[in-house]
Amino acid sequence: MDTNGKLFKKFLEREDRIANQFNTENATKQHNKGKLTARERIELLFDKDTFEEIDAFVTTAAATSNFGTITESFGDGVIVGHGKVSGRLVFSYAQDFTVMGGSLGVVHAQKISKIQQMALKMGAPIIGLIDSGGARIQEGIASLAGYATIFKNNIDSSGVIPQISVIMGPAAGGAVYSPALTDFVFMTNKTSYMFVTGPNVVKEVLNEDVTNDELGGAEVHSKKSGVAHMMYEDEEHTIQGVRKMLTYFPSNNVENPPIILNPEEKDDYIEKLRDVVPDDPNKPYDVKDVIDLIADTNSFYEISEKYAQNIVVGFARLKGNTIGIVANQPKMLAGTIDINSSIKAARFIRFCDAFNIPLLTLEDVPGFLPGIDQEHMGIIRNGAKMLYAYTEATVPKITVILRKSYGGAYIVMNSKNIGGDFNFAWPTAEIAVMGPDGAVAVLYRRELLASEDPVALKKELVKTYRDEIANPYIADEKGYIDEVIDPAVTRKKLIIAFEALQNKQVSSPAKKHGNIPL
Ligand code: HXC
């Protein structure tokens, strides 16, 4: 081809035009807000020089608008394409706020939809980098239809390819529901916010003043609503977080996660495991210390760290293999299960099950959180979510009972009879229908009332209960757990047990789908 010829010049002019769309003026607008441009985000997400853009020259729909103006642009405010993340194929789209506020018009929607369908066909994860004012007002119903198609693609892909949404500016109106349908939502502190209706509408309807950040900032969604799973302080770290999370995942639901061995030898952990749970059964400790001692060095990647902290969930590796960990956290609400922790764990368990990630449960739970609030807000329906998710999951499932394992919570935390493959207990385990205080109060109410020294009697009864009932040996003798183990050998035991389970096959009864209590 004549590269000096007219045809080639035209090609170069078009390339120039794309490059100029990210001119200094537009970039500065983003940078001044502490944000990166869509293209800079893409560069950070993908391995160097691996991103291949498609549909760069697609132009904004020649829609006529009787309300507002439509700025014509190449690309229509969204970059779409594919590249490599840690050497593996990943698809992505990045919205450009400098083109009509990243709003979603018909062409913008078609581009996202096209890349979603490609990701599904190729069995590769998709990452949405979102910076959008929602449905493009000028394009009316066509924008809403565009969102509807994107949501449908999200749902078709759910459980087939990992989907991650990264909020890097506004996600307003329709822009929130695609993230809500994906597996994980990342937010950047102070520069991102998500809401269905913004502060103006809140003011109009309720006459309440609220800022973007107060209404739907990263802190709010990470701590209060649970909408965001991950929060980072700036966009670079947010994108690094996405890259890290992807290392734990298979590309799709028929593959296994990659094996990533840590060259750092794990040392010094064996004796520490014996001391990590305090002798006093009422003394709290941090279950993340147990996780760190068991998992490969520095491999734990926690999800929803700030939300429902009475349960800890996250990915880790055992001898290079990804596992999902669900652990009661005795230092928050004594590790009880409440509505939010059940929902948090259930969603995590279902993700792991969909993507062939074996589950490790670390149990220290005195029961469900009692209270009027919990009962009235539906702990029955919501607590059932975790029970359902565990029971339904067919990936390898192992439980280690560290300490308390009482009542309904014993059943829920992957007990043998709901399908635990290996159930181990430490000698510190207390497995029973209820805790000693409750049991004594129910069974010895009359005796305590009649006693001259009820405090001493209660103390004695509690001791007897602990010795006779609330220990791991009865469950061990009856086969409700498989083995009482020395805490020091836990890591070794788990490596062997997960290896033994790697070809686990389960056939469930045929059905369209179950009916998880939502
Ligand atoms: C068209 C939009 C737009 C939109 C922003 N812009 N949102 N254009 N459609 N939805 C344009 C602005 O007109 C402006 O254009 C440019 O983007 C930047 O916007 P600013 O308001 O100047 O930026 P900022 O102050 O940072 O505020 C950002 C914002 C605000 C909070 C997102 O723009 C806003 O409130 N937008 C509307 C949000 C919203 O209500 N969306 C819901 C749409 S309905 P110029 O030319 O001045 O640069 C919806 C329903 C779908 O999505 C439901 C599906 C379930």
Side-chain angles (χ1 to χ4, degrees):
M1 186 198 285
D2 173 11
T3 51
N4 292 317
K6 217 165 121 194
L7 290 176
F8 199 73
K9 259 205 189 122
K10 193 165 180 193
F11 169 74
L12 290 179
E13 271 166 30
R14 282 158 63 90
E15 295 262 291
D16 273 356
R17 189 160 168 196
I18 290 288
N20 284 335
Q21 243 174 260
F22 291 87
N23 58 26
T24 345
E25 197 192 324
N26 279 347
T28 309
K29 272 193 209 157
Q30 286 287 91
H31 294 164
N32 286 347
K33 292 180 187 163
K35 292 160 64 178
L36 298 173
T37 65
R39 209 161 282 280
E40 286 165 342
R41 291 168 181 160
I42 287 281
E43 294 294 317
L44 282 173
L45 175 63
F46 287 99
D47 299 348
K48 199 169 174 348
D49 296 333
T50 62
F51 182 67
E52 295 290 327
E53 185 172 357
I54 63 164
D55 285 349
F57 294 104
V58 170
T59 47
T60 302
T64 46
S65 172
N66 297 325
F67 192 79
T69 46
I70 297 179
T71 321
E72 212 206 303
S73 70
F74 267 145
D76 201 31
V78 63
I79 300 171
V80 304
H82 59 88
K84 297 281 171 72
V85 175
S86 308
R88 292 190 299 160
L89 178 67
V90 168
F91 288 80
S92 182
Y93 65 89
Q95 293 178 309
D96 179 0
F97 188 77
T98 67
V99 179
M100 291 177 277
S103 59
L104 185 128
V106 67
V107 169
H108 186 118
Q110 278 162 3
K111 285 180 66 176
I112 294 177
S113 184
K114 186 173 179 180
I115 210 77
Q116 285 180 303
Q117 286 168 10
M118 280 187 90
L120 180 58
K121 232 189 299 181
M122 305 313 152
I126 181 156
I127 317 295
L129 303 172
I130 289 149
D131 194 353
S132 170
R136 189 173 295 157
I137 298 161
Q138 301 89 313
E139 293 190 39
I141 180 71
S143 311
L144 298 184
Y147 265 128
T149 310
I150 290 169
F151 302 160
K152 182 173 185 307
N153 290 333
N154 283 133
I155 294 158
D156 287 346
S157 297
S158 183
V160 184
I161 51 170
Q163 303 180 85
I164 297 176
S165 303
V166 193
I167 317 300
M168 314 198 89
V176 299
Y177 279 111
S178 175
L181 293 167
T182 59
D183 298 305
F184 295 102
V185 175
F186 284 63
M187 290 185 81
T188 308
N189 200 13
K190 303 293 178 209
T191 50
S192 70
Y193 45 95
M194 300 176 79
F195 38 67
V196 176
T197 50
N200 293 342
V201 180
V202 173
K203 176 78 187 167
E204 240 169 67
V205 179
L206 301 164
N207 198 26
E208 284 172 6
D209 290 305
V210 67
T211 64
N212 286 335
D213 204 46
E214 286 163 353
L215 186 62
E219 291 245 2
V220 166
H221 285 310
S222 311
K223 291 181 185 165
K224 276 196 165 170
S225 73
V227 166
H229 302 91
M230 309 303 298
M231 177 182 97
Y232 290 88
E233 290 305 313
D234 58 43
E235 293 195 5
E236 281 87 348
H237 286 95
T238 308
I239 293 175
Q240 288 311 320
V242 175
R243 286 178 58 89
K244 179 160 183 185
M245 184 185 265
L246 284 172
T247 64
Y248 294 91
F249 299 171
S251 292
N252 55 58
N253 65 335
V254 291
E255 287 183 14
N256 286 321
I259 297 171
I260 302 176
L261 288 163
N262 185 342
E264 240 177 274
E265 259 308 303
K266 213 173 158 67
D267 53 15
D268 196 27
Y269 69 95
I270 289 180
E271 281 306 316
K272 285 186 185 160
L273 272 166
R274 285 200 178 122
D275 297 329
V276 67
V277 172
D279 287 337
D280 176 353
N282 296 320
K283 206 169 158 195
Y285 60 94
D286 189 346
V287 78
K288 290 186 217 171
D289 292 340
V290 182
I291 295 173
D292 285 340
L293 292 171
I294 292 174
D296 291 0
T297 308
N298 293 328
S299 71
F300 185 52
Y301 184 78
E302 190 173 355
I303 308 294
S304 300
E305 185 184 349
K306 303 251 162 50
Y307 181 74
Q309 293 180 317
N310 42 335
I311 209 147
V312 173
V313 302
F315 302 103
R317 291 194 180 87
L318 259 187
K319 225 180 153 195
N321 291 288
T322 301
I323 54 168
I325 297 182
V326 179
N328 308 114
Q329 175 57 288
K331 71 173 201 172
M332 291 302 292
L333 298 173
T336 48
I337 299 170
D338 64 352
I339 292 172
N340 291 348
S341 62
S342 169
I343 294 171
K344 168 175 161 180
R347 185 151 172 82
F348 179 75
I349 291 163
R350 299 189 98 219
F351 176 84
C352 290
D353 189 44
F355 290 102
N356 312 318
I357 297 175
L359 284 162
L360 170 63
T361 302
L362 300 175
E363 180 174 354
D364 187 347
V365 58
F368 284 94
L369 181 67
I372 298 167
D373 258 13
Q374 286 290 307
E375 296 291 348
H376 288 189
M377 286 163 65
I379 183 69
I380 299 173
R381 176 170 51 85
N382 289 294
K385 290 183 171 131
M386 181 157 50
L387 174 59
Y388 194 107
Y390 259 130
T391 312
E392 180 189 44
T394 57
V395 284
K397 296 183 286 191
I398 299 180
T399 296
V400 183
I401 303 175
L402 310 178
R403 194 167 62 174
K404 297 186 174 84
S405 176
Y406 287 123
Y410 154 80
I411 301 170
V412 168
M413 296 302 289
N414 189 40
S415 58
K416 199 85 200 149
N417 294 80
I418 66 165
D421 293 303
F422 287 113
N423 293 57
F424 301 119
W426 284 2
T428 37
E430 303 169 19
I431 309 170
V433 171
M434 61 172 76
D437 291 322
V440 167
V442 172
L443 294 182
Y444 292 94
R445 190 169 53 91
R446 265 188 300 268
E447 288 81 346
L448 285 165
L449 281 172
S451 167
E452 281 173 12
D453 189 349
V455 176
L457 177 62
K458 189 175 172 198
K459 205 171 162 194
E460 190 192 318
L461 289 167
V462 164
K463 186 179 175 315
T464 314
Y465 185 83
R466 268 195 210 293
D467 292 346
E468 302 295 326
I469 307 279
N471 61 53
Y473 302 107
I474 298 169
D476 195 22
E477 283 156 23
K478 293 185 190 294
Y480 292 119
I481 54 171
D482 298 295
E483 200 180 345
V484 179
I485 59 169
D486 176 354
V489 301
T490 308
R491 177 175 156 85
K492 194 172 134 210
K493 279 270 178 200
L494 290 174
I495 290 171
I496 294 169
F498 276 120
E499 203 178 306
L501 295 172
Q502 71 185 357
N503 293 327
K504 180 183 173 187
Q505 297 265 331
V506 177
S507 54
S508 311
K511 56 176 122 173
K512 187 171 177 194
H513 59 70
N515 192 9
I516 188 165
L518 295 173

